[in-house]
Amino acid sequence: MTIRTRFAPSPTGFLHVGGARTALFGWLQARAGQGTFILRIEDTDLERSTPESVQAILDGMAWLGLDYDEGPIFQTQRFERYAQVVQKLLDEDKAYHCFCSKECLQALREQQMKDGDKPRYNGKCRHLEAIPEGIDPVVRFRNPHSGKVVFEDLIRGRISISNDELDDLIIARPDGSPTYNFTVVVDDMDMGITHVIRGDDHINNTPRQINIYRALAAEPPIFAHVPMILGDDGARLSKRHGALGVMQYRDDGYLAPALLNYLVRLGWSHGDQEVFSVDEMVELFDIRDVNRKASAFNTEKLNWLNQHYMKNLPAGEVAEQLAWHFSDQGISTASGPALEDVVGVQAERVKSLKEMAAQSRVFFEAYEAFDPNAAKKHLRPVAAEPLEAVLKNLQLLDDWSPGPLHAVIDRVAAELKVGMGKV
RNA sequence: GCUCCCUUCGUCUAGCGGUCCAGGACGCGGCCCUCUCAAGGCUGAAACACGAGUUCGAUUCUCGUAGGGAGCGCCA
């Protein structure tokens, strides 16, 4: 069987680390089996979906190097297909129109909660003889009343829930637009998805989705529900509490391979190995080895990995990323040492590229100001002033020349009795 | 409230009945190296949530308890 996986975010914000890890797992599973990885944008919520979010997701995935073979496929472009399937279910009496008002359903829910029951639709419109006038109905899926749904989750193991816990969910709104639990099924079915790898907040939706597959006479895919990621403090990682978009990590000076490595080790391991190249991940990863419990994001460890990659990746590769930070910080690197050399000297002193650029600023300014060929005559007053004092104090000014960078760094640092972070 | 799910050092994890008075990594402490800061080497403290049961033997299997999470939308 050729593996087909997909990542299906809804474009209502940036790509955060939790989503990125889910995408990574799906991507790895596909790459490992020479399968296909598909990107699908779940934008059926017209209210909250934005083109900016779509772009943010695309940017995030591109930065991480998670390339997809098919897509992006937008659900909003498949409304015709959904309508067709809804009609089919209606024709086969596997779905029905429901005329209950939102208010009525709300009242029902409250009553059930009050009685200590699990709120669910009571099936009032299941067998309606008279069709009420003047109401645009929703369409509900006729869920089986008896029996239970059992499935083998690749990560959680066997999960079973009895059908009487489930109610008849709405698959189409009065205006005909489809709802999530229905579109996922139709899409995954149409796209031939073999492994559905998604966040474990979807576990509870899975049984009802399986019922829809059955109604459609389709074989359900294999499911793998990955646990969520908690914040540094162990609390839920939410947008307003520490959740950052992956591009923020780029801006903060992290290398994509470091973030990827960190993310893959969060909830997954291969013996005692900590460092994985992308190729190794592809070779060793198996979704079945993913842990069940939620894990807390640990920035300290990410920092360690980031530095590891700054030191061990080919300097040229790191320099490319570093260049972005120099320009981001408005530092001219026109004159001065080669960026590869900066990486070579600075990598073991800082935790991020952003820091590396910031701390190298003084040297680039020095090079510019003390250019032996031209700058001797016109020291740039503003930038050169404090630096000049430092160098004079170090008696470096006389013999200054763009020599070995690390010697200068070491002498400046020694004089100031601090790490370069303070310079 | 109801249903489903989770539980090894502070954190990420190894462990798939005896090899575990529980191993690795980040972080933290100490020592060494060193003109500073790092980096590097060595080293130390630090965990099987609790209670029953199964078993000759449980971190590992079963069941409870406690704690945590998710879902219960005409959101995805």
Short mmCIF file of all heavy atoms in Angstrom, two decimals, chain A residues 7 60 81 121 164 198-199 205 218 246 277 319-320 359 394 406 411-412 415 417:
data_model
loop_
_atom_site.label_atom_id
_atom_site.label_comp_id
_atom_site.label_asym_id
_atom_site.label_seq_id
_atom_site.Cartn_x
_atom_site.Cartn_y
_atom_site.Cartn_z
N PHE A 7 -1.72 17.16 5.62
CA PHE A 7 -1.76 18.11 6.71
C PHE A 7 -2.91 19.03 6.34
O PHE A 7 -2.97 19.52 5.21
CB PHE A 7 -0.45 18.88 6.81
CG PHE A 7 -0.45 19.94 7.88
CD1 PHE A 7 -0.81 19.64 9.19
CD2 PHE A 7 -0.09 21.25 7.58
CE1 PHE A 7 -0.82 20.61 10.18
CE2 PHE A 7 -0.10 22.23 8.57
CZ PHE A 7 -0.46 21.91 9.87
N GLY A 60 5.50 29.17 6.69
CA GLY A 60 6.03 28.35 7.77
C GLY A 60 6.50 27.00 7.26
O GLY A 60 7.59 26.54 7.60
N ARG A 81 -18.88 19.32 -4.73
CA ARG A 81 -18.70 17.91 -4.42
C ARG A 81 -19.40 17.55 -3.10
O ARG A 81 -20.06 16.53 -2.99
CB ARG A 81 -17.20 17.61 -4.35
CG ARG A 81 -16.82 16.27 -3.76
CD ARG A 81 -17.33 15.10 -4.59
NE ARG A 81 -16.92 13.81 -4.01
CZ ARG A 81 -17.57 12.67 -4.18
NH1 ARG A 81 -18.66 12.64 -4.95
NH2 ARG A 81 -17.15 11.56 -3.64
N TYR A 121 -28.22 15.77 20.43
CA TYR A 121 -29.49 15.97 19.73
C TYR A 121 -30.44 14.80 19.99
O TYR A 121 -30.02 13.64 19.98
CB TYR A 121 -29.21 16.10 18.23
CG TYR A 121 -30.45 16.30 17.41
CD1 TYR A 121 -31.26 17.42 17.61
CD2 TYR A 121 -30.82 15.38 16.43
CE1 TYR A 121 -32.41 17.60 16.88
CE2 TYR A 121 -31.96 15.55 15.68
CZ TYR A 121 -32.76 16.67 15.91
OH TYR A 121 -33.90 16.85 15.18
N ASP A 164 -24.55 4.91 21.08
CA ASP A 164 -25.57 5.72 21.74
C ASP A 164 -24.97 6.95 22.44
O ASP A 164 -25.68 7.76 23.00
CB ASP A 164 -26.44 4.88 22.69
CG ASP A 164 -25.62 4.13 23.71
OD1 ASP A 164 -24.53 4.61 24.05
OD2 ASP A 164 -26.07 3.06 24.17
N ARG A 198 -3.23 13.51 12.96
CA ARG A 198 -3.76 14.80 13.38
C ARG A 198 -3.70 14.93 14.88
O ARG A 198 -3.32 14.00 15.59
CB ARG A 198 -5.21 14.92 12.89
CG ARG A 198 -5.99 13.94 13.57
CD ARG A 198 -7.30 13.31 13.42
NE ARG A 198 -8.30 13.74 12.55
CZ ARG A 198 -9.45 13.12 12.36
NH1 ARG A 198 -9.73 11.98 13.01
NH2 ARG A 198 -10.32 13.59 11.52
N GLY A 199 -4.07 16.09 15.40
CA GLY A 199 -4.02 16.33 16.83
C GLY A 199 -5.03 15.48 17.58
O GLY A 199 -6.07 15.10 17.04
N ASN A 205 -13.93 12.97 17.67
CA ASN A 205 -14.68 13.11 16.42
C ASN A 205 -14.56 11.86 15.55
O ASN A 205 -15.37 11.64 14.66
CB ASN A 205 -14.13 14.28 15.60
CG ASN A 205 -14.47 15.62 16.22
OD1 ASN A 205 -15.52 15.77 16.82
ND2 ASN A 205 -13.58 16.57 16.07
N ALA A 218 -17.25 3.48 2.25
CA ALA A 218 -15.81 3.66 2.05
C ALA A 218 -15.05 3.07 3.23
O ALA A 218 -15.55 3.02 4.35
CB ALA A 218 -15.48 5.14 1.94
N VAL A 246 5.74 29.56 13.76
CA VAL A 246 7.08 29.07 13.47
C VAL A 246 7.98 30.17 12.88
O VAL A 246 9.18 30.18 13.11
CB VAL A 246 7.10 27.86 12.52
CG1 VAL A 246 6.52 26.64 13.22
CG2 VAL A 246 6.37 28.14 11.24
N SER A 277 19.45 14.31 11.68
CA SER A 277 19.36 15.10 10.45
C SER A 277 18.00 14.75 9.86
O SER A 277 17.39 13.75 10.24
CB SER A 277 20.48 14.69 9.49
OG SER A 277 20.25 13.36 9.04
N ALA A 319 25.70 30.65 7.43
CA ALA A 319 25.96 32.04 7.03
C ALA A 319 24.82 32.60 6.20
O ALA A 319 24.45 33.77 6.33
CB ALA A 319 27.27 32.11 6.25
N GLU A 320 24.24 31.77 5.38
CA GLU A 320 23.12 32.21 4.56
C GLU A 320 21.98 32.73 5.44
O GLU A 320 21.36 33.75 5.15
CB GLU A 320 22.57 31.04 3.75
CG GLU A 320 23.14 30.92 2.35
CD GLU A 320 22.62 29.66 1.68
OE1 GLU A 320 21.38 29.47 1.64
OE2 GLU A 320 23.46 28.86 1.21
N GLN A 359 25.71 40.67 18.20
CA GLN A 359 27.00 40.79 18.86
C GLN A 359 28.14 40.99 17.88
O GLN A 359 29.26 41.31 18.28
CB GLN A 359 27.24 39.55 19.72
CG GLN A 359 26.24 39.51 20.85
CD GLN A 359 26.54 38.43 21.84
OE1 GLN A 359 27.64 37.91 21.89
NE2 GLN A 359 25.55 38.09 22.64
N LEU A 394 42.49 49.33 24.81
CA LEU A 394 43.12 48.02 24.63
C LEU A 394 44.44 48.15 23.88
O LEU A 394 45.09 47.15 23.61
CB LEU A 394 42.19 47.09 23.83
CG LEU A 394 40.91 46.66 24.53
CD1 LEU A 394 40.05 45.88 23.57
CD2 LEU A 394 41.26 45.81 25.73
N HIS A 406 38.80 36.50 15.74
CA HIS A 406 38.65 35.97 17.09
C HIS A 406 39.64 36.59 18.06
O HIS A 406 39.36 36.76 19.24
CB HIS A 406 38.76 34.45 17.09
CG HIS A 406 40.08 33.94 16.64
ND1 HIS A 406 41.12 33.77 17.49
CD2 HIS A 406 40.50 33.57 15.41
CE1 HIS A 406 42.16 33.30 16.80
NE2 HIS A 406 41.81 33.17 15.55
N ARG A 411 40.28 39.72 22.86
CA ARG A 411 40.94 40.79 23.61
C ARG A 411 39.93 41.81 24.12
O ARG A 411 40.05 42.29 25.26
CB ARG A 411 42.00 41.47 22.75
CG ARG A 411 43.17 40.52 22.51
CD ARG A 411 44.25 41.14 21.69
NE ARG A 411 44.90 42.27 22.37
CZ ARG A 411 45.97 42.89 21.87
NH1 ARG A 411 46.48 42.50 20.72
NH2 ARG A 411 46.50 43.89 22.52
N VAL A 412 38.95 42.11 23.33
CA VAL A 412 37.92 43.04 23.79
C VAL A 412 37.20 42.43 24.99
O VAL A 412 37.01 43.07 26.02
CB VAL A 412 36.90 43.35 22.67
CG1 VAL A 412 35.72 44.13 23.24
CG2 VAL A 412 37.58 44.13 21.56
N GLU A 415 39.31 42.34 28.16
CA GLU A 415 39.43 43.65 28.78
C GLU A 415 38.18 44.02 29.57
O GLU A 415 38.24 44.54 30.67
CB GLU A 415 39.70 44.70 27.72
CG GLU A 415 39.82 46.11 28.25
CD GLU A 415 41.00 46.26 29.22
OE1 GLU A 415 41.97 45.46 29.12
OE2 GLU A 415 40.96 47.16 30.04
N LYS A 417 36.11 41.99 30.81
CA LYS A 417 35.80 40.95 31.80
C LYS A 417 34.37 40.42 31.66
O LYS A 417 33.70 40.14 32.64
CB LYS A 417 35.97 41.50 33.22
CG LYS A 417 37.36 41.98 33.53
CD LYS A 417 38.24 40.83 34.03
CE LYS A 417 39.56 41.37 34.57
NZ LYS A 417 40.46 41.85 33.51
#
